[in-house]
Amino acid sequence: MKLERVELLHVAVPLVTPFRTSFGVMTSKDTFLLHVVTDEAEGWSEFAADPEPLYCSEFVAGAEIVLRDFLLPRAAALPRLTTAALAPALAKIKGHELAKAALETAVLDAELRAHDMPLATFLGAVRDRVPAGVSVGIRDSVPALLDEVEGYLAEGYLRIKLKIEPGWDVEPVRAVRERFGDGLPLQVDANTAYNLADAEHLRMLDEFGLLLIEEPLEENNLHAHALLQQRIATPVCLDESLHSARDTASAIAMDACRVVNVKPARVGGYLEARRVHDVAAAHGVPAWCGGMLETGIGRAPNLALAALPGFTLPGDTSASSRYFAEDVTEPFVLRDGHLTVPASPGIGVRPLPETLRRFTTGRRVLFGG
Ligand code: OSB
Ligand code: MG
């Protein structure tokens, strides 16, 4: 393929309820979609991070510059643009995995469409639907949390993840266990909110039989996570600290990570995400597909990935209605606790033109005419 044009569309899609984590509150998904035009086909993707670098170091305005000034010139200089050639061409640019993932995913969408192949087929999916979990934000009160969890369980979600932080951990977990029973698949996510000095406190969560505790300590501190794992029984799962398959291998070898959250954007795209999956599967370490409150454009390829055989736990791949009253694509719907894996070529979905127009707050041509 030859790169002809790349357009960036800023979108702001309101969330149905504010989503609070240990790092902030989100009331709408503010990000950009990338639209890549080649001589053979067109592709779409979604930048996974937010306007502020609170979850990770990347952010919307920074990614735009990185794409325009560093990534797109290298993609355009390739004699033949393929997804496989892209990561090596971008490798000299340090970091910026989420920006790289946005470009790679749009190119992959275009390339697969040119070959009439669905992403799930390309990645090696073994399922046509995937079990859905749901990530529940920090609430002002335990009764409000229990109401929200009850609603999700009534809809059919198969696993609950509670966001936690110091002051909102043992009490909400105990309340959810008491109300919904020991059989409920339950896990927690701290988004780096604790220190190793909190180990004895976090050990109080051991009695609740959680599937895992996600990223309890600071990002990239594998050693501290390994030390914590020696002191708690709940399996430690890493999110923010894993940027590649190599990181994942190191973390597993150090026993810093007994469960892997695979977010394709965080590791630079779907090719590396499959390698992360393969590393986890080779070690017999359970994996699941994370999320970033994506619109349908980001959700669709995550569902394709989540259909790989090593994803043995339900992911944060919830239905569109959990996030948005109106999605930018045809909505993803929960049926029997599962979401259907897109079966059309490429990522399998397109923005709905009229809906996209309403949610678009700005457009910029980053490359070409
Ligand atoms: O840590 O997994 C996380 C959302 C935004 C940023 C980080 C995280 C999350 C979630 C929600 O937990 C995942 C989702 O439902 O998309
Ligand atoms: Mg997380």
Side-chain angles (χ1 to χ4, degrees):
M1 303 187 293
K2 190 79 198 159
L3 197 60
E4 290 183 346
R5 183 183 154 85
V6 177
E7 190 178 27
L8 178 154
L9 293 91
H10 287 278
V11 293
V13 192
L15 293 173
V16 286
T17 48
F19 184 66
R20 180 168 152 214
T21 67
S22 63
F23 61 81
V25 185
M26 284 177 66
T27 55
S28 92
K29 181 70 194 181
D30 292 359
T31 187
F32 61 80
L33 305 183
L34 218 51
H35 181 205
V36 164
V37 180
T38 77
D39 56 342
E40 293 183 41
E42 301 184 10
W44 285 86
S45 68
E46 174 174 341
F47 179 65
D50 304 313
E52 295 179 277
L54 299 175
Y55 162 76
C56 63
S57 63
E58 292 183 69
F59 59 103
V60 170
E64 182 173 339
I65 294 171
V66 168
L67 279 159
R68 185 193 65 198
D69 294 351
F70 306 123
L71 305 184
L72 288 173
R74 285 169 171 80
L78 281 170
R80 235 182 104 239
L81 174 63
T82 63
T83 310
L86 200 53
L90 306 180
K92 280 201 172 155
I93 303 301
K94 301 254 174 23
H96 297 284
E97 286 82 9
L98 284 86
K100 289 174 180 174
L103 178 56
E104 187 192 271
T105 304
V107 170
L108 179 57
D109 183 30
E111 186 172 12
L112 290 172
R113 279 169 195 268
H115 289 87
D116 217 23
M117 181 181 282
L119 177 59
T121 308
F122 172 75
L123 292 174
V126 295
R127 294 184 270 267
D128 54 17
R129 56 175 214 157
V130 295
V134 59
S135 177
V136 186
I138 295 166
R139 300 295 306 250
D140 292 336
S141 73
V142 167
L145 177 74
L146 294 177
D147 283 352
E148 185 172 347
V149 170
E150 181 171 41
Y152 292 137
L153 293 176
E155 284 181 62
Y157 285 103
L158 298 170
R159 181 227 69 188
I160 297 292
K161 161 168 140 182
L162 302 182
K163 290 293 193 179
I164 59 168
E165 65 181 4
W168 182 263
D169 42 34
V170 176
E171 191 195 355
V173 169
R174 184 190 306 281
V176 168
R177 267 283 176 252
E178 280 175 0
R179 171 79 170 270
F180 303 105
D182 291 339
L184 171 68
L186 183 63
Q187 62 194 53
V188 294
D189 186 358
N191 290 109
T192 74
Y194 295 87
N195 297 303
L196 199 48
D198 299 314
E200 291 312 302
H201 180 75
L202 292 174
R203 203 144 64 98
M204 291 165 69
L205 293 171
D206 283 354
E207 68 172 288
F208 301 109
L210 300 176
L211 288 167
L212 57 93
I213 178 169
E214 186 177 343
E215 199 75 24
L217 309 178
E218 69 179 344
E219 178 177 347
N220 300 339
N221 197 339
L222 299 184
H223 182 60
H225 280 99
L227 293 174
L228 176 67
Q229 184 68 88
Q230 289 176 14
R231 293 165 66 176
I232 65 174
T234 307
V236 171
C237 171
L238 292 180
D239 173 1
E240 285 91 332
S241 289
L242 301 180
H243 308 280
S244 65
R246 193 191 58 193
D247 286 350
T248 308
S250 300
I252 291 171
M254 292 168 64
D255 197 23
C257 177
R258 291 187 181 170
V259 184
V260 177
N261 172 340
V262 186
K263 282 185 190 167
R266 208 193 55 225
V267 300
Y270 288 86
L271 299 188
E272 186 70 7
R274 182 168 54 183
R275 292 179 203 115
V276 173
H277 159 276
D278 294 347
V279 165
H283 287 85
V285 169
W288 53 283
C289 182
M292 295 283 285
L293 312 179
E294 290 94 346
T295 76
I297 293 295
R299 188 158 311 279
N302 282 350
L303 291 169
L305 182 75
L308 267 60
F311 288 94
T312 50
L313 292 171
D316 280 346
T317 44
S318 312
S320 295
S321 63
R322 182 259 172 267
Y323 310 98
F324 313 111
E326 195 180 8
D327 205 334
V328 304
T329 61
E330 291 291 344
F332 285 95
V333 180
L334 192 69
R335 280 197 198 87
D336 255 346
H338 291 69
L339 262 65
T340 303
V341 177
S344 305
I347 65 169
V349 298
R350 281 286 177 256
L352 301 168
E354 173 49 31
T355 312
L356 180 61
R357 241 191 309 279
R358 270 185 290 113
F359 289 133
T360 298
T361 56
R363 319 166 71 104
R364 267 197 271 291
V365 176
L366 293 189
F367 176 79

